[in-house]
Amino acid sequence: PAADAQQAPDGNTLWYDEPATDWESRALPVGNGALGAMVFGGVTSEQLQFNEKSLWTGGPGSAGGYNFGNWTSPRPGALDEVINTINQNGQADPNWVAGKLGQPKTNFGAYQTFGDLRLDMAGQSTSYSGYRRELNIGDATAKVAYTNNGVGYDREYFVSHPDQVMVGRLGANQPGKVSFTLRYTSPRSDFTATASGGRLTIRGKLANNGMVFEAQIQVRADGGTVTSSGSAVTVSGANSATFVLGAGTDYADTYPNYRGTDPAGRVKSVVDAAAAKSFTTLRAAHVADHKALFDRVKLNIGQVMPNKPTDDLRAAYTGGSSPDDRALEALYYQYGRYLLIASSRTGSLPANLQGVWNNSTSPPWSADYHTNINVQMNYWLAGQANLAETAEPFVRFVEALKAPGQVTANSMFGTGGWLVHNETNPFGYTGVHNWATAFWFPEANGWLASQVYDLATFSNDPALLNRAYSLLKGASEFWLANLRTDPRDGKLVATPTYSPEHGPFTAGDSMAQQIVWGLFTDTIAASTALGADTTFRNQVRDKLNAMDPGLRIGSGGRLQEWKSDAITGEPQHRHVSHLYALHPGHQISAGTAFGDAAKATLTDRGDGGTGWSKAWKINFWARLLDGDHAHKMLSEQLKSSTLANLFDTHPPFQIDGNFGGTAGVTEMLLQSQNGEIHILPAKPGAWPSGSVTGLKARGNVAVDVSWTSAGGVDFTIKPTTSGNLTVRSGVFAGRYTLTNTTTGQPVGGTVTGDRMTFAATAGHTYRAVGTTW
Ligand SMILES: C[C@@H]1O[C@@H](O)[C@@H](O)[C@H](O)[C@@H]1O
């Protein structure tokens, strides 16, 4: 096994030449959506910190009660008082508003570590050689290898979605050398651990809310002996050994109790089933499942992976044009896709602020679901980077917010529809808290509903369109009832509004207006596509036409964050909320007056910020068709917001930046938000030649592209519906051929500048080859 250290580096492997000494920055993540683990790779003792996504404190059953963030008693006139004060003074102080509309954050809870699996190795010393620890994101397996006392040891771990278990195998290159004791540790003391028949059973109940949790780990050995005593299982003198771990809770995503069946039976049956299979069989099913998603997209930007540990590769990264730097960028790109596959699969809750990985009982921001940028950023890549299936937990989560969100709409606003504010948990927290600068954000409903609709436009899936429409309609019902006439200009505005975590309360801040504008626009489009609700659609259209769209150019030619240009904030604030219309919205396009104002704003905002803020800026600059600046933001993220294990850091570790970074790179290579497919919209000079295959454009169009430093571009598009298709590429302003490679026929169409519109046939493949000059 030690020989592994010499294997040719492939571009999809993170590796290190020493065990992990730190969970956040050095341990390696594996997962299947619901289960996650961090591999440390210790020699004399292995640590596998693991998670089950639904293990949360807080919510129903918590001592002191749980009210979903809703006011505990009606507050007649409170909302109007705030709105009138804002109309009178143009703004209101957040602390004052929090006093009027806020609410102590009661039993919101926090995502919990499940605990740690410890494997104490027998007969191994602290001096070892040829150490290698790796994570191969191509097949989603983690490995450890080293030589100790002349014996070569190897381990492999993965978390299987098909079999719903974590699997580990320990081997050696000499017979009878595998000996270890497996045990469980936890920062909590709310569990029992019993070993019998090679199976360790951990069962507990969270003291905070009575949530029942159970994990079972079955150990099997080839040769040697397996003994169980107390709370440990010991393997002695085996040739190799495997374990399978299953875990669950009695959580259910059903309002209002969020409890389902005891997990014991479920956990036992998945562990029994997996333990009856060989490691090879389990591994094959896992790798096939992972590759079916992961292998869809290939990126070549001229990278050559050096034989260098990943932490050194990252430390040496300059953002220049070396093949090493390209190798890190390409690895980082695919890492985002890997992390989404590993933290968001059908049947699990969506990826939270840390995906599925958390070693704490009180993680930062509870490792929750912030809805004012963070959970949305987690799913930007799902459509375009060809991972539609990973978005199902997100869609289901938003749908589950409707029931509690309707109660909040009624109790807080006295209206219909549904909403959620600034952040939520797995227990339908749709109300508020009282952290003055981060509690009020009812427009999160529109952002989430529009994002689900956008996912539906990527997949063209009619069932998803229907689900999206139901969310859009409910959120629109809320805003039809809650928009108010702004006495300043008679336009309809949201009020009170709070531009995420920045400045004073006002009426009609740009992001709120842009989100509601987008929501109404999407509601009309979806209802038209479904041929549903004409009357409702016309009501929405009337309000749309009467509302303030939230686009204003102020001093310095910048886009205004607030309706009044007199209000100023922190010039470099991490949130750039008023550019929602540029990304993820599509109200603003490059090369327009608002596009130029957005550019002025971004230039002013600077290239700093938290990990997620930098990631967002990659997307912004890509939408402004400035590939070099988008690449600059990617390099800033890699240089100063990326840890040794390539996790994004806010700081601390926060996964949204990983997902936002991958989405940003995809936006540099392909865009389709304006009803046309834009090929290489923001390709940076740093990537003179390359290719990307398997991306998706809206309308469920598959796209492959390659480009050369000489200006050559060669792309194929494969639509799944028939009709006119507009494609934008520099070749159409240069020299090109366009062929239907299914029929072998040349394709004619209308060319305007760098846009070509032609009649496409579903299932046919169209190829354009040309030069941009
Ligand atoms: C999880 C938190 O979410 C929002 O509050 C952001 O403003 C913070 O930067 C952080 O990302």
Side-chain angles (χ1 to χ4, degrees):
D4 281 2
Q6 307 319 314
Q7 76 179 13
D10 82 10
N12 278 333
T13 299
L14 292 74
W15 71 277
Y16 306 80
D17 54 13
E18 58 191 6
T21 48
D22 172 55
W23 178 89
E24 182 188 32
S25 64
R26 294 197 165 266
L28 292 172
V30 287
N32 70 355
L35 288 180
M38 293 286 273
V39 178
F40 281 71
V43 168
T44 55
S45 182
E46 173 66 286
Q47 180 181 358
L48 303 167
Q49 181 276 323
F50 69 99
N51 289 96
E52 203 283 344
K53 186 79 87 30
S54 64
L55 188 62
W56 266 75
T57 55
S62 307
Y66 177 69
N67 59 315
F68 306 90
N70 294 322
W71 292 334
T72 46
S73 57
R75 299 185 191 179
L79 206 49
D80 286 337
E81 183 187 354
V82 171
I83 292 169
N84 296 337
T85 303
I86 290 171
N87 286 345
Q88 272 149 34
N89 308 334
Q91 60 179 277
D93 174 71
N95 294 303
W96 177 78
V97 177
K100 295 287 174 194
L101 305 180
Q103 162 93 11
K105 200 175 193 176
T106 307
N107 283 324
F108 180 92
Y111 182 36
Q112 297 293 298
T113 177
F114 205 111
D116 296 78
L117 216 51
R118 310 277 177 165
L119 287 75
D120 305 324
M121 307 302 161
Q124 300 200 24
S125 70
T126 51
S127 70
Y128 51 87
S129 61
Y131 183 94
R132 181 187 168 99
R133 176 170 62 89
E134 73 170 49
L135 173 65
N136 183 328
I137 63 174
D139 59 20
T141 62
K143 291 184 180 157
V144 182
Y146 57 89
T147 299
N148 196 317
N149 297 336
V151 180
Y153 290 94
D154 63 273
R155 305 176 201 150
E156 184 168 11
Y157 310 104
F158 55 89
V159 185
S160 164
H161 187 249
D163 289 288
Q164 290 295 305
V165 288
M166 175 177 186
V167 180
R169 180 185 179 285
L170 294 88
N173 65 357
Q174 292 176 27
K177 290 297 182 186
V178 174
S179 301
F180 61 89
T181 295
L182 177 142
R183 59 191 171 89
Y184 167 77
T185 60
S186 164
R188 293 181 310 275
S189 56
D190 48 14
F191 66 92
T192 59
T194 354
S196 157
R199 183 169 303 201
L200 181 60
T201 300
I202 295 138
R203 184 168 175 82
K205 192 182 252 192
L206 294 179
N208 170 275
N209 62 5
M211 183 180 284
V212 175
F213 59 92
E214 173 134 351
Q216 297 183 16
I217 302 106
Q218 180 66 54
V219 180
R220 294 222 176 295
D222 160 32
T225 59
V226 178
T227 52
S228 307
S229 68
S231 57
V233 175
T234 298
V235 171
S236 307
N239 306 324
S240 68
T242 60
F243 69 82
V244 293
L245 175 151
T249 73
D250 63 349
Y251 171 82
D253 62 351
T254 43
Y255 177 81
N257 299 324
Y258 296 94
R259 286 293 185 283
T261 56
D262 188 298
R266 258 177 294 128
V267 171
K268 179 175 185 318
S269 58
V270 292
V271 171
D272 287 351
K277 295 178 183 173
S278 71
F279 176 80
T280 314
T281 304
L282 290 166
R283 188 180 190 284
H286 159 69
V287 171
D289 165 72
H290 176 73
K291 282 185 166 305
L293 295 168
F294 186 84
D295 285 357
R296 291 176 182 165
V297 172
K298 304 258 184 254
L299 177 68
N300 173 357
I301 49 176
Q303 68 269 24
V304 179
M305 182 58 83
N307 196 11
K308 193 188 277 186
T310 307
D311 47 348
D312 296 348
L313 183 69
R314 200 213 61 77
Y317 177 79
T318 61
S321 55
S322 72
D324 282 21
D325 283 0
R326 299 288 82 73
L328 180 67
E329 291 169 355
L331 178 59
Y332 188 76
Y333 176 75
Q334 290 288 17
Y335 195 50
R337 298 183 67 250
Y338 164 80
L339 291 172
L340 193 59
I341 296 169
S343 66
S344 187
R345 295 295 301 272
T346 302
S348 79
L349 284 163
N352 57 43
L353 281 172
Q354 297 177 198
V356 62
W357 301 281
N358 163 39
N359 69 337
S360 169
T361 55
S362 57
W365 295 279
S366 301
D368 69 18
Y369 301 94
H370 267 58
T371 48
N372 67 356
I373 178 68
N374 312 82
V375 71
Q376 291 95 336
M377 184 179 283
N378 283 359
Y379 287 92
W380 287 341
L381 72 97
Q384 57 191 180
N386 209 339
L387 291 176
E389 296 87 336
T390 64
E392 174 57 26
F394 172 71
V395 176
R396 186 182 163 111
F397 187 75
V398 179
E399 289 173 324
L401 290 172
K402 271 183 83 176
Q406 282 158 352
V407 175
T408 302
N410 188 16
S411 62
M412 207 172 272
F413 297 85
T415 71
W418 70 275
L419 78 144
V420 58
H421 279 280
N422 200 74
E423 71 246 39
T424 188
N425 60 11
F427 310 113
Y429 196 99
T430 49
V432 291
H433 53 78
N434 55 8
W435 181 279
T437 57
F439 78 100
W440 188 264
F441 192 62
E443 55 269 32
N445 61 359
W447 191 342
L448 294 168
S450 281
Q451 187 161 353
V452 174
Y453 173 67
D454 194 39
L455 287 164
T457 64
F458 266 106
S459 64
N460 255 4
D461 168 9
L464 185 54
L465 179 60
N466 264 301
R467 293 167 75 186
Y469 180 59
S470 155
L471 292 167
L472 291 167
K473 186 174 180 188
S476 287
E477 278 165 357
F478 176 82
W479 288 108
L480 290 181
N482 282 287
L483 290 178
R484 307 271 183 120
T485 303
D486 188 332
R488 292 171 290 186
D489 59 7
K491 295 262 180 194
L492 293 177
V493 290
T495 182
T497 55
Y498 194 73
S499 194
E501 315 197 18
H502 193 200
F505 272 78
T506 64
D509 74 39
S510 304
M511 182 180 231
Q513 296 306 118
Q514 293 169 10
I515 288 176
V516 177
W517 187 92
L519 167 69
F520 284 175
T521 305
D522 292 343
T523 303
I524 292 166
S527 112
T528 307
L530 291 165
D533 293 340
T534 316
T535 315
F536 180 74
R537 190 190 317 157
N538 293 336
Q539 285 169 4
V540 173
R541 188 174 287 113
D542 294 346
K543 294 274 181 173
L544 181 65
N545 296 337
M547 71 175 285
D548 175 334
L551 299 177
R552 228 165 240 98
I553 300 174
S555 52
R558 291 181 297 268
L559 211 66
Q560 286 177 219
E561 180 158 2
W562 297 279
K563 191 161 179 172
S564 154
D565 202 19
I567 296 176
T568 54
E570 292 163 45
Q572 268 138 23
H573 196 270
R574 63 189 181 284
H575 286 266
V576 200
S577 305
H578 47 315
L579 296 193
Y580 173 90
L582 177 65
H583 181 279
H586 48 95
Q587 231 174 325
I588 293 178
S589 298
T592 62
F594 289 126
D596 296 344
K599 192 169 187 167
T601 299
L602 267 180
T603 307
D604 220 47
R605 243 355 187 244
D607 295 345
T610 57
W612 65 260
S613 181
K614 290 185 180 120
W616 200 0
K617 290 170 183 170
I618 302 173
N619 290 272
F620 285 141
W621 284 110
R623 287 276 173 105
L624 289 171
L625 311 185
D626 185 337
D628 291 338
H629 208 138
H631 181 263
K632 165 109 184 351
M633 288 317 309
L634 173 66
S635 64
E636 289 301 328
Q637 190 175 16
L638 283 166
K639 276 191 275 184
S640 54
S641 294
T642 301
L643 302 170
N645 57 7
L646 303 190
F647 267 166
D648 171 72
T649 185
H650 179 277
F653 158 49
Q654 204 168 287
I655 205 164
D656 37 30
N658 285 104
F659 298 136
T662 295
V665 169
T666 312
E667 289 276 347
M668 292 158 77
L669 302 172
L670 178 71
Q671 287 173 31
S672 60
Q673 70 280 8
N674 294 322
E676 61 186 22
I677 298 174
H678 196 170
I679 306 286
L680 300 178
K683 183 193 71 63
W687 303 341
S689 62
S691 65
V692 63
T693 56
L695 295 183
K696 279 289 175 92
R698 292 168 177 83
N700 197 12
V701 181
V703 178
D704 299 345
V705 190
S706 66
W707 63 95
T708 69
S709 53
V713 177
D714 179 342
F715 64 83
T716 63
I717 50 180
K718 192 169 180 175
T720 51
T721 54
S722 297
N724 274 349
L725 205 54
T726 299
V727 181
R728 187 176 177 189
S729 161
V731 298
F732 295 127
R735 283 178 295 176
Y736 69 93
T737 59
L738 178 60
T739 316
N740 177 332
T741 58
T742 309
T743 63
Q745 297 303 310
V747 176
T750 318
V751 175
T752 325
D754 61 357
R755 289 176 171 84
M756 156 75 117
T757 302
F758 63 95
T761 305
H764 285 200
T765 300
Y766 298 86
R767 181 175 181 203
V769 182
T771 57
T772 53
W773 43 269

